[in-house]
Amino acid sequence: SLPCSIRSFSEAAGVPVGKVLGTLMQMGVADININSQLDLESAELIATAMDLTIELKETETLENSLIMELENREDSEDSLIPRAPIVTFLGHVDHGKTSLLDYLIGINVVSGEAGGITQHIRAYEVEKDGRSVTFVDTPGHEAFTEMRARGANVTDIAVLVVAADDGIMPQTEEAISHAKAAEVPIVVALNKIDLEGVDSNRVLTQLTEHQLTPSEWGGDVEVVRTSATKGIGMDELLETLLTIAELNEYKANPDREAIGVCLESEQQGDRGVVAKLVVQNGTLRVGDIVVCGSTYGRIRAMTNTLTGSSMMEAGPSTPVNVMGFDQAPGAGERFHVLDDISKAREIAETREDASSQEMLSGVTTKVSFENFQEM
Ligand code: GDP
Ligand code: MG
């Protein structure tokens, strides 16, 4: 439930704001002003203390009702068809995430990267052995943390890339905890196996110490020895991923309004805002009205993230570059397709207001139940 300010509490209860503040101070709550936020419990306590009979309830916003309905809509079993697994490469910087992805999709991005560091989230859907796979390469673990924090779990399978010469490093550990928190299967790519004198047993021991026991040691984690530069183990890695995908039978309903996640976005001169979205369910089409965080718009054009060719529609698991948003949506924001542009605008504006209020209230005290208990 959203907290309400002391100002709106006094307005709703029809008592002067000074009286509410006075009562709170008498109750021993310090450092408060009219913008301090009350949670539902605290509001009830003050109402009792002031002998007010008020009914406290959460307001139902258009956003709540519409978005919740879209999020929670159940797809009937017979509307579901197989979708491509979404595979994310995670691991310590320089361990070979970008190189592995480059090899798998047959391009070379790594050699053109500024300072050898991935700046963007890359996401491509490719055909492998007649089946589609969506690969996501992250510019480092921060991006993944941010997306997870917003509940935007896009990945189905995590490939933990560990360089055989370095072993488990701090960012590898963070990647492990993210993948575990996301409760997705983990496949380890033990990379740079081509280097002289690497000791893969040392890395297997480290993995075991992190509760990732390799299957060759009786555990349930597949460890594939790879070299992205020599092309070693790449077929095996792909096969392992496709086998996991097959076991999990990822499915979605292409015949509904699209929902999914924004991976990143930017303002690109003449083209305006370009947002990289991944469709998680449904089909996204040119002309659709979309709301994403506090941005909205009608999709003007979409392009394939790998080839740049234009697309009219994007089904489940498809990453796509989308033009038509009024502003750049944030990484990790969920998007929804609505049937009415004025509803989309209203929701976007409500969210924008809410987030600016949050910023304002960030400098005020939040009065909570615990404050009262301390008196
Ligand atoms: P990322 O930061 O995890 O994306 O790592 P990159 O893919 O950018 O790779 C970092 C460096 O390691 C680059 O210079 C790659 O050429 C090199 N590299 C990647 N994979 C291998 C490998 O399997 N063997 C060797 N010897 N070098 C590799
Ligand atoms: Mg990289």
PDB file of all heavy atoms in Angstrom, residues 82-120:
ATOM      1  N   PRO A  82       5.511 -23.370 -27.816  1.00  0.00           N
ATOM      2  CA  PRO A  82       6.909 -23.239 -27.372  1.00  0.00           C
ATOM      3  C   PRO A  82       7.507 -21.891 -27.772  1.00  0.00           C
ATOM      4  O   PRO A  82       7.174 -21.348 -28.817  1.00  0.00           O
ATOM      5  CB  PRO A  82       7.617 -24.370 -28.125  1.00  0.00           C
ATOM      6  CG  PRO A  82       6.545 -25.342 -28.458  1.00  0.00           C
ATOM      7  CD  PRO A  82       5.307 -24.528 -28.677  1.00  0.00           C
ATOM      8  N   ARG A  83       8.343 -21.363 -26.893  1.00  0.00           N
ATOM      9  CA  ARG A  83       9.074 -20.129 -27.207  1.00  0.00           C
ATOM     10  C   ARG A  83      10.567 -20.375 -27.007  1.00  0.00           C
ATOM     11  O   ARG A  83      10.965 -21.334 -26.337  1.00  0.00           O
ATOM     12  CB  ARG A  83       8.591 -18.979 -26.324  1.00  0.00           C
ATOM     13  CG  ARG A  83       8.849 -19.206 -24.840  1.00  0.00           C
ATOM     14  CD  ARG A  83       8.602 -17.954 -24.019  1.00  0.00           C
ATOM     15  NE  ARG A  83       8.836 -18.211 -22.595  1.00  0.00           N
ATOM     16  CZ  ARG A  83      10.024 -18.158 -22.004  1.00  0.00           C
ATOM     17  NH1 ARG A  83      11.115 -17.876 -22.715  1.00  0.00           N
ATOM     18  NH2 ARG A  83      10.157 -18.418 -20.721  1.00  0.00           N
ATOM     19  N   ALA A  84      11.382 -19.498 -27.582  1.00  0.00           N
ATOM     20  CA  ALA A  84      12.835 -19.637 -27.452  1.00  0.00           C
ATOM     21  C   ALA A  84      13.259 -19.399 -26.010  1.00  0.00           C
ATOM     22  O   ALA A  84      12.691 -18.553 -25.329  1.00  0.00           O
ATOM     23  CB  ALA A  84      13.521 -18.625 -28.366  1.00  0.00           C
ATOM     24  N   PRO A  85      14.248 -20.169 -25.533  1.00  0.00           N
ATOM     25  CA  PRO A  85      14.795 -19.862 -24.203  1.00  0.00           C
ATOM     26  C   PRO A  85      15.575 -18.549 -24.261  1.00  0.00           C
ATOM     27  O   PRO A  85      16.198 -18.239 -25.271  1.00  0.00           O
ATOM     28  CB  PRO A  85      15.743 -21.035 -23.943  1.00  0.00           C
ATOM     29  CG  PRO A  85      16.147 -21.499 -25.298  1.00  0.00           C
ATOM     30  CD  PRO A  85      14.957 -21.267 -26.196  1.00  0.00           C
ATOM     31  N   ILE A  86      15.543 -17.797 -23.165  1.00  0.00           N
ATOM     32  CA  ILE A  86      16.347 -16.579 -23.067  1.00  0.00           C
ATOM     33  C   ILE A  86      17.558 -16.899 -22.198  1.00  0.00           C
ATOM     34  O   ILE A  86      17.420 -17.247 -21.026  1.00  0.00           O
ATOM     35  CB  ILE A  86      15.523 -15.409 -22.495  1.00  0.00           C
ATOM     36  CG1 ILE A  86      14.299 -15.153 -23.391  1.00  0.00           C
ATOM     37  CG2 ILE A  86      16.389 -14.154 -22.367  1.00  0.00           C
ATOM     38  CD1 ILE A  86      13.348 -14.076 -22.885  1.00  0.00           C
ATOM     39  N   VAL A  87      18.717 -16.826 -22.810  1.00  0.00           N
ATOM     40  CA  VAL A  87      19.966 -17.246 -22.171  1.00  0.00           C
ATOM     41  C   VAL A  87      20.830 -16.016 -21.906  1.00  0.00           C
ATOM     42  O   VAL A  87      21.124 -15.263 -22.832  1.00  0.00           O
ATOM     43  CB  VAL A  87      20.734 -18.226 -23.099  1.00  0.00           C
ATOM     44  CG1 VAL A  87      22.084 -18.590 -22.489  1.00  0.00           C
ATOM     45  CG2 VAL A  87      19.898 -19.465 -23.380  1.00  0.00           C
ATOM     46  N   THR A  88      21.219 -15.807 -20.645  1.00  0.00           N
ATOM     47  CA  THR A  88      22.021 -14.629 -20.299  1.00  0.00           C
ATOM     48  C   THR A  88      23.434 -15.030 -19.892  1.00  0.00           C
ATOM     49  O   THR A  88      23.616 -15.969 -19.113  1.00  0.00           O
ATOM     50  CB  THR A  88      21.358 -13.851 -19.147  1.00  0.00           C
ATOM     51  OG1 THR A  88      20.033 -13.511 -19.543  1.00  0.00           O
ATOM     52  CG2 THR A  88      22.111 -12.571 -18.831  1.00  0.00           C
ATOM     53  N   PHE A  89      24.418 -14.336 -20.440  1.00  0.00           N
ATOM     54  CA  PHE A  89      25.822 -14.570 -20.082  1.00  0.00           C
ATOM     55  C   PHE A  89      26.205 -13.668 -18.917  1.00  0.00           C
ATOM     56  O   PHE A  89      26.045 -12.454 -18.984  1.00  0.00           O
ATOM     57  CB  PHE A  89      26.736 -14.274 -21.277  1.00  0.00           C
ATOM     58  CG  PHE A  89      26.630 -15.312 -22.358  1.00  0.00           C
ATOM     59  CD1 PHE A  89      25.580 -15.288 -23.260  1.00  0.00           C
ATOM     60  CD2 PHE A  89      27.563 -16.330 -22.442  1.00  0.00           C
ATOM     61  CE1 PHE A  89      25.464 -16.260 -24.241  1.00  0.00           C
ATOM     62  CE2 PHE A  89      27.454 -17.309 -23.426  1.00  0.00           C
ATOM     63  CZ  PHE A  89      26.393 -17.276 -24.332  1.00  0.00           C
ATOM     64  N   LEU A  90      26.704 -14.292 -17.854  1.00  0.00           N
ATOM     65  CA  LEU A  90      27.091 -13.556 -16.648  1.00  0.00           C
ATOM     66  C   LEU A  90      28.502 -13.949 -16.254  1.00  0.00           C
ATOM     67  O   LEU A  90      28.945 -15.053 -16.549  1.00  0.00           O
ATOM     68  CB  LEU A  90      26.168 -13.926 -15.483  1.00  0.00           C
ATOM     69  CG  LEU A  90      24.687 -13.630 -15.616  1.00  0.00           C
ATOM     70  CD1 LEU A  90      23.935 -14.289 -14.477  1.00  0.00           C
ATOM     71  CD2 LEU A  90      24.455 -12.143 -15.616  1.00  0.00           C
ATOM     72  N   GLY A  91      29.174 -13.070 -15.531  1.00  0.00           N
ATOM     73  CA  GLY A  91      30.489 -13.435 -15.032  1.00  0.00           C
ATOM     74  C   GLY A  91      31.394 -12.239 -14.884  1.00  0.00           C
ATOM     75  O   GLY A  91      30.995 -11.101 -15.160  1.00  0.00           O
ATOM     76  N   HIS A  92      32.602 -12.517 -14.432  1.00  0.00           N
ATOM     77  CA  HIS A  92      33.570 -11.454 -14.179  1.00  0.00           C
ATOM     78  C   HIS A  92      33.999 -10.798 -15.499  1.00  0.00           C
ATOM     79  O   HIS A  92      34.039 -11.452 -16.532  1.00  0.00           O
ATOM     80  CB  HIS A  92      34.793 -12.044 -13.467  1.00  0.00           C
ATOM     81  CG  HIS A  92      35.645 -11.011 -12.787  1.00  0.00           C
ATOM     82  ND1 HIS A  92      35.254 -10.399 -11.631  1.00  0.00           N
ATOM     83  CD2 HIS A  92      36.852 -10.490 -13.117  1.00  0.00           C
ATOM     84  CE1 HIS A  92      36.190  -9.540 -11.255  1.00  0.00           C
ATOM     85  NE2 HIS A  92      37.166  -9.572 -12.144  1.00  0.00           N
ATOM     86  N   VAL A  93      34.309  -9.523 -15.413  1.00  0.00           N
ATOM     87  CA  VAL A  93      34.758  -8.793 -16.596  1.00  0.00           C
ATOM     88  C   VAL A  93      35.999  -9.468 -17.201  1.00  0.00           C
ATOM     89  O   VAL A  93      36.842 -10.003 -16.470  1.00  0.00           O
ATOM     90  CB  VAL A  93      35.028  -7.302 -16.242  1.00  0.00           C
ATOM     91  CG1 VAL A  93      36.203  -7.155 -15.291  1.00  0.00           C
ATOM     92  CG2 VAL A  93      35.254  -6.462 -17.494  1.00  0.00           C
ATOM     93  N   ASP A  94      36.035  -9.518 -18.533  1.00  0.00           N
ATOM     94  CA  ASP A  94      37.164 -10.094 -19.284  1.00  0.00           C
ATOM     95  C   ASP A  94      37.228 -11.621 -19.262  1.00  0.00           C
ATOM     96  O   ASP A  94      38.197 -12.189 -19.758  1.00  0.00           O
ATOM     97  CB  ASP A  94      38.521  -9.552 -18.788  1.00  0.00           C
ATOM     98  CG  ASP A  94      38.903  -8.271 -19.519  1.00  0.00           C
ATOM     99  OD1 ASP A  94      38.183  -7.911 -20.472  1.00  0.00           O
ATOM    100  OD2 ASP A  94      39.910  -7.653 -19.142  1.00  0.00           O
ATOM    101  N   HIS A  95      36.238 -12.280 -18.687  1.00  0.00           N
ATOM    102  CA  HIS A  95      36.290 -13.744 -18.680  1.00  0.00           C
ATOM    103  C   HIS A  95      35.784 -14.357 -19.981  1.00  0.00           C
ATOM    104  O   HIS A  95      35.915 -15.558 -20.182  1.00  0.00           O
ATOM    105  CB  HIS A  95      35.549 -14.310 -17.450  1.00  0.00           C
ATOM    106  CG  HIS A  95      36.390 -14.246 -16.206  1.00  0.00           C
ATOM    107  ND1 HIS A  95      36.139 -14.999 -15.092  1.00  0.00           N
ATOM    108  CD2 HIS A  95      37.508 -13.530 -15.934  1.00  0.00           C
ATOM    109  CE1 HIS A  95      37.063 -14.743 -14.163  1.00  0.00           C
ATOM    110  NE2 HIS A  95      37.895 -13.850 -14.655  1.00  0.00           N
ATOM    111  N   GLY A  96      35.175 -13.505 -20.846  1.00  0.00           N
ATOM    112  CA  GLY A  96      34.854 -13.989 -22.192  1.00  0.00           C
ATOM    113  C   GLY A  96      33.379 -14.038 -22.560  1.00  0.00           C
ATOM    114  O   GLY A  96      33.015 -14.714 -23.527  1.00  0.00           O
ATOM    115  N   LYS A  97      32.519 -13.329 -21.824  1.00  0.00           N
ATOM    116  CA  LYS A  97      31.078 -13.335 -22.114  1.00  0.00           C
ATOM    117  C   LYS A  97      30.795 -12.879 -23.543  1.00  0.00           C
ATOM    118  O   LYS A  97      30.091 -13.551 -24.293  1.00  0.00           O
ATOM    119  CB  LYS A  97      30.330 -12.397 -21.147  1.00  0.00           C
ATOM    120  CG  LYS A  97      30.461 -12.786 -19.684  1.00  0.00           C
ATOM    121  CD  LYS A  97      29.723 -11.802 -18.780  1.00  0.00           C
ATOM    122  CE  LYS A  97      30.345 -10.414 -18.740  1.00  0.00           C
ATOM    123  NZ  LYS A  97      31.688 -10.374 -18.122  1.00  0.00           N
ATOM    124  N   THR A  98      31.346 -11.716 -23.895  1.00  0.00           N
ATOM    125  CA  THR A  98      31.078 -11.152 -25.216  1.00  0.00           C
ATOM    126  C   THR A  98      31.667 -12.040 -26.310  1.00  0.00           C
ATOM    127  O   THR A  98      31.024 -12.281 -27.336  1.00  0.00           O
ATOM    128  CB  THR A  98      31.635  -9.714 -25.288  1.00  0.00           C
ATOM    129  OG1 THR A  98      30.993  -8.944 -24.264  1.00  0.00           O
ATOM    130  CG2 THR A  98      31.363  -9.077 -26.632  1.00  0.00           C
ATOM    131  N   SER A  99      32.859 -12.572 -26.054  1.00  0.00           N
ATOM    132  CA  SER A  99      33.496 -13.438 -27.060  1.00  0.00           C
ATOM    133  C   SER A  99      32.687 -14.702 -27.310  1.00  0.00           C
ATOM    134  O   SER A  99      32.539 -15.150 -28.450  1.00  0.00           O
ATOM    135  CB  SER A  99      34.905 -13.836 -26.609  1.00  0.00           C
ATOM    136  OG  SER A  99      35.669 -12.688 -26.326  1.00  0.00           O
ATOM    137  N   LEU A 100      32.156 -15.295 -26.243  1.00  0.00           N
ATOM    138  CA  LEU A 100      31.355 -16.513 -26.397  1.00  0.00           C
ATOM    139  C   LEU A 100      30.094 -16.221 -27.214  1.00  0.00           C
ATOM    140  O   LEU A 100      29.749 -16.968 -28.130  1.00  0.00           O
ATOM    141  CB  LEU A 100      30.964 -17.084 -25.028  1.00  0.00           C
ATOM    142  CG  LEU A 100      32.084 -17.778 -24.258  1.00  0.00           C
ATOM    143  CD1 LEU A 100      31.681 -17.998 -22.800  1.00  0.00           C
ATOM    144  CD2 LEU A 100      32.438 -19.124 -24.914  1.00  0.00           C
ATOM    145  N   LEU A 101      29.431 -15.124 -26.876  1.00  0.00           N
ATOM    146  CA  LEU A 101      28.225 -14.767 -27.615  1.00  0.00           C
ATOM    147  C   LEU A 101      28.559 -14.476 -29.079  1.00  0.00           C
ATOM    148  O   LEU A 101      27.866 -14.941 -29.987  1.00  0.00           O
ATOM    149  CB  LEU A 101      27.540 -13.558 -26.964  1.00  0.00           C
ATOM    150  CG  LEU A 101      26.288 -13.034 -27.656  1.00  0.00           C
ATOM    151  CD1 LEU A 101      25.262 -14.144 -27.857  1.00  0.00           C
ATOM    152  CD2 LEU A 101      25.658 -11.907 -26.855  1.00  0.00           C
ATOM    153  N   ASP A 102      29.640 -13.743 -29.302  1.00  0.00           N
ATOM    154  CA  ASP A 102      30.067 -13.454 -30.673  1.00  0.00           C
ATOM    155  C   ASP A 102      30.265 -14.740 -31.458  1.00  0.00           C
ATOM    156  O   ASP A 102      29.824 -14.864 -32.597  1.00  0.00           O
ATOM    157  CB  ASP A 102      31.398 -12.679 -30.677  1.00  0.00           C
ATOM    158  CG  ASP A 102      31.210 -11.195 -30.413  1.00  0.00           C
ATOM    159  OD1 ASP A 102      30.070 -10.783 -30.156  1.00  0.00           O
ATOM    160  OD2 ASP A 102      32.221 -10.456 -30.468  1.00  0.00           O
ATOM    161  N   TYR A 103      30.939 -15.689 -30.850  1.00  0.00           N
ATOM    162  CA  TYR A 103      31.205 -16.943 -31.544  1.00  0.00           C
ATOM    163  C   TYR A 103      29.900 -17.655 -31.865  1.00  0.00           C
ATOM    164  O   TYR A 103      29.705 -18.143 -32.978  1.00  0.00           O
ATOM    165  CB  TYR A 103      32.115 -17.852 -30.699  1.00  0.00           C
ATOM    166  CG  TYR A 103      32.599 -19.048 -31.480  1.00  0.00           C
ATOM    167  CD1 TYR A 103      33.851 -19.044 -32.089  1.00  0.00           C
ATOM    168  CD2 TYR A 103      31.783 -20.175 -31.649  1.00  0.00           C
ATOM    169  CE1 TYR A 103      34.287 -20.121 -32.837  1.00  0.00           C
ATOM    170  CE2 TYR A 103      32.200 -21.257 -32.391  1.00  0.00           C
ATOM    171  CZ  TYR A 103      33.459 -21.232 -32.980  1.00  0.00           C
ATOM    172  OH  TYR A 103      33.874 -22.313 -33.735  1.00  0.00           O
ATOM    173  N   LEU A 104      29.009 -17.710 -30.873  1.00  0.00           N
ATOM    174  CA  LEU A 104      27.754 -18.436 -31.071  1.00  0.00           C
ATOM    175  C   LEU A 104      26.891 -17.844 -32.179  1.00  0.00           C
ATOM    176  O   LEU A 104      26.215 -18.557 -32.901  1.00  0.00           O
ATOM    177  CB  LEU A 104      26.946 -18.485 -29.759  1.00  0.00           C
ATOM    178  CG  LEU A 104      27.469 -19.470 -28.719  1.00  0.00           C
ATOM    179  CD1 LEU A 104      26.754 -19.281 -27.391  1.00  0.00           C
ATOM    180  CD2 LEU A 104      27.282 -20.917 -29.216  1.00  0.00           C
ATOM    181  N   ILE A 105      26.893 -16.522 -32.296  1.00  0.00           N
ATOM    182  CA  ILE A 105      26.049 -15.939 -33.333  1.00  0.00           C
ATOM    183  C   ILE A 105      26.823 -15.572 -34.586  1.00  0.00           C
ATOM    184  O   ILE A 105      26.255 -15.098 -35.555  1.00  0.00           O
ATOM    185  CB  ILE A 105      25.269 -14.713 -32.812  1.00  0.00           C
ATOM    186  CG1 ILE A 105      26.224 -13.632 -32.358  1.00  0.00           C
ATOM    187  CG2 ILE A 105      24.318 -15.097 -31.690  1.00  0.00           C
ATOM    188  CD1 ILE A 105      25.500 -12.396 -31.918  1.00  0.00           C
ATOM    189  N   GLY A 106      28.133 -15.823 -34.563  1.00  0.00           N
ATOM    190  CA  GLY A 106      28.922 -15.643 -35.777  1.00  0.00           C
ATOM    191  C   GLY A 106      29.193 -14.205 -36.158  1.00  0.00           C
ATOM    192  O   GLY A 106      29.236 -13.862 -37.334  1.00  0.00           O
ATOM    193  N   ILE A 107      29.327 -13.330 -35.158  1.00  0.00           N
ATOM    194  CA  ILE A 107      29.752 -11.965 -35.465  1.00  0.00           C
ATOM    195  C   ILE A 107      30.962 -11.638 -34.610  1.00  0.00           C
ATOM    196  O   ILE A 107      31.377 -12.432 -33.775  1.00  0.00           O
ATOM    197  CB  ILE A 107      28.643 -10.908 -35.211  1.00  0.00           C
ATOM    198  CG1 ILE A 107      28.201 -10.902 -33.743  1.00  0.00           C
ATOM    199  CG2 ILE A 107      27.476 -11.139 -36.148  1.00  0.00           C
ATOM    200  CD1 ILE A 107      27.326  -9.728 -33.373  1.00  0.00           C
ATOM    201  N   ASN A 108      31.518 -10.458 -34.816  1.00  0.00           N
ATOM    202  CA  ASN A 108      32.648 -10.055 -33.996  1.00  0.00           C
ATOM    203  C   ASN A 108      32.433  -8.651 -33.457  1.00  0.00           C
ATOM    204  O   ASN A 108      32.625  -7.675 -34.139  1.00  0.00           O
ATOM    205  CB  ASN A 108      33.948 -10.117 -34.806  1.00  0.00           C
ATOM    206  CG  ASN A 108      35.159  -9.853 -33.923  1.00  0.00           C
ATOM    207  OD1 ASN A 108      35.027  -9.427 -32.778  1.00  0.00           O
ATOM    208  ND2 ASN A 108      36.336 -10.096 -34.457  1.00  0.00           N
ATOM    209  N   VAL A 109      31.967  -8.597 -32.225  1.00  0.00           N
ATOM    210  CA  VAL A 109      31.736  -7.314 -31.585  1.00  0.00           C
ATOM    211  C   VAL A 109      32.919  -6.974 -30.695  1.00  0.00           C
ATOM    212  O   VAL A 109      33.337  -5.840 -30.593  1.00  0.00           O
ATOM    213  CB  VAL A 109      30.423  -7.339 -30.761  1.00  0.00           C
ATOM    214  CG1 VAL A 109      30.352  -6.147 -29.818  1.00  0.00           C
ATOM    215  CG2 VAL A 109      29.229  -7.331 -31.695  1.00  0.00           C
ATOM    216  N   VAL A 110      33.515  -8.017 -30.092  1.00  0.00           N
ATOM    217  CA  VAL A 110      34.516  -7.807 -29.055  1.00  0.00           C
ATOM    218  C   VAL A 110      35.676  -6.932 -29.529  1.00  0.00           C
ATOM    219  O   VAL A 110      36.119  -6.030 -28.831  1.00  0.00           O
ATOM    220  CB  VAL A 110      34.980  -9.165 -28.465  1.00  0.00           C
ATOM    221  CG1 VAL A 110      36.280  -9.644 -29.040  1.00  0.00           C
ATOM    222  CG2 VAL A 110      35.064  -9.096 -26.966  1.00  0.00           C
ATOM    223  N   SER A 111      36.137  -7.158 -30.776  1.00  0.00           N
ATOM    224  CA  SER A 111      37.316  -6.420 -31.223  1.00  0.00           C
ATOM    225  C   SER A 111      37.001  -4.942 -31.475  1.00  0.00           C
ATOM    226  O   SER A 111      37.901  -4.122 -31.544  1.00  0.00           O
ATOM    227  CB  SER A 111      37.903  -7.057 -32.472  1.00  0.00           C
ATOM    228  OG  SER A 111      36.941  -7.071 -33.493  1.00  0.00           O
ATOM    229  N   GLY A 112      35.723  -4.596 -31.611  1.00  0.00           N
ATOM    230  CA  GLY A 112      35.377  -3.201 -31.864  1.00  0.00           C
ATOM    231  C   GLY A 112      34.975  -2.437 -30.620  1.00  0.00           C
ATOM    232  O   GLY A 112      34.625  -1.263 -30.691  1.00  0.00           O
ATOM    233  N   GLU A 113      35.005  -3.096 -29.461  1.00  0.00           N
ATOM    234  CA  GLU A 113      34.535  -2.442 -28.243  1.00  0.00           C
ATOM    235  C   GLU A 113      35.547  -1.451 -27.683  1.00  0.00           C
ATOM    236  O   GLU A 113      36.732  -1.756 -27.601  1.00  0.00           O
ATOM    237  CB  GLU A 113      34.220  -3.492 -27.163  1.00  0.00           C
ATOM    238  CG  GLU A 113      32.939  -4.237 -27.436  1.00  0.00           C
ATOM    239  CD  GLU A 113      32.596  -5.199 -26.315  1.00  0.00           C
ATOM    240  OE1 GLU A 113      33.481  -5.544 -25.519  1.00  0.00           O
ATOM    241  OE2 GLU A 113      31.423  -5.608 -26.257  1.00  0.00           O
ATOM    242  N   ALA A 114      35.056  -0.312 -27.264  1.00  0.00           N
ATOM    243  CA  ALA A 114      35.929   0.686 -26.660  1.00  0.00           C
ATOM    244  C   ALA A 114      36.511   0.145 -25.363  1.00  0.00           C
ATOM    245  O   ALA A 114      35.775  -0.203 -24.443  1.00  0.00           O
ATOM    246  CB  ALA A 114      35.140   1.966 -26.384  1.00  0.00           C
ATOM    247  N   GLY A 115      37.818   0.032 -25.292  1.00  0.00           N
ATOM    248  CA  GLY A 115      38.490  -0.463 -24.091  1.00  0.00           C
ATOM    249  C   GLY A 115      38.158  -1.907 -23.770  1.00  0.00           C
ATOM    250  O   GLY A 115      38.424  -2.371 -22.666  1.00  0.00           O
ATOM    251  N   GLY A 116      37.574  -2.613 -24.746  1.00  0.00           N
ATOM    252  CA  GLY A 116      37.246  -4.030 -24.533  1.00  0.00           C
ATOM    253  C   GLY A 116      36.137  -4.253 -23.530  1.00  0.00           C
ATOM    254  O   GLY A 116      35.933  -5.357 -23.061  1.00  0.00           O
ATOM    255  N   ILE A 117      35.383  -3.203 -23.198  1.00  0.00           N
ATOM    256  CA  ILE A 117      34.302  -3.349 -22.225  1.00  0.00           C
ATOM    257  C   ILE A 117      32.959  -3.157 -22.925  1.00  0.00           C
ATOM    258  O   ILE A 117      32.767  -2.183 -23.654  1.00  0.00           O
ATOM    259  CB  ILE A 117      34.415  -2.286 -21.091  1.00  0.00           C
ATOM    260  CG1 ILE A 117      35.784  -2.318 -20.440  1.00  0.00           C
ATOM    261  CG2 ILE A 117      33.292  -2.455 -20.077  1.00  0.00           C
ATOM    262  CD1 ILE A 117      35.973  -3.337 -19.350  1.00  0.00           C
ATOM    263  N   THR A 118      32.064  -4.100 -22.693  1.00  0.00           N
ATOM    264  CA  THR A 118      30.742  -4.012 -23.290  1.00  0.00           C
ATOM    265  C   THR A 118      29.965  -2.837 -22.685  1.00  0.00           C
ATOM    266  O   THR A 118      29.846  -2.722 -21.475  1.00  0.00           O
ATOM    267  CB  THR A 118      29.969  -5.320 -23.033  1.00  0.00           C
ATOM    268  OG1 THR A 118      30.780  -6.403 -23.478  1.00  0.00           O
ATOM    269  CG2 THR A 118      28.646  -5.333 -23.761  1.00  0.00           C
ATOM    270  N   GLN A 119      29.489  -1.946 -23.561  1.00  0.00           N
ATOM    271  CA  GLN A 119      28.788  -0.750 -23.079  1.00  0.00           C
ATOM    272  C   GLN A 119      27.268  -0.943 -23.083  1.00  0.00           C
ATOM    273  O   GLN A 119      26.551  -0.223 -22.412  1.00  0.00           O
ATOM    274  CB  GLN A 119      29.120   0.468 -23.960  1.00  0.00           C
ATOM    275  CG  GLN A 119      30.607   0.700 -24.163  1.00  0.00           C
ATOM    276  CD  GLN A 119      31.301   1.176 -22.905  1.00  0.00           C
ATOM    277  OE1 GLN A 119      30.641   1.587 -21.945  1.00  0.00           O
ATOM    278  NE2 GLN A 119      32.616   1.109 -22.885  1.00  0.00           N
ATOM    279  N   HIS A 120      26.790  -1.858 -23.905  1.00  0.00           N
ATOM    280  CA  HIS A 120      25.346  -2.009 -24.048  1.00  0.00           C
ATOM    281  C   HIS A 120      24.913  -3.420 -23.696  1.00  0.00           C
ATOM    282  O   HIS A 120      25.707  -4.349 -23.757  1.00  0.00           O
ATOM    283  CB  HIS A 120      24.931  -1.730 -25.500  1.00  0.00           C
ATOM    284  CG  HIS A 120      25.099  -0.306 -25.882  1.00  0.00           C
ATOM    285  ND1 HIS A 120      24.173   0.657 -25.587  1.00  0.00           N
ATOM    286  CD2 HIS A 120      26.103   0.328 -26.519  1.00  0.00           C
ATOM    287  CE1 HIS A 120      24.598   1.827 -26.029  1.00  0.00           C
ATOM    288  NE2 HIS A 120      25.768   1.652 -26.594  1.00  0.00           N
TER     289      HIS A 120
END
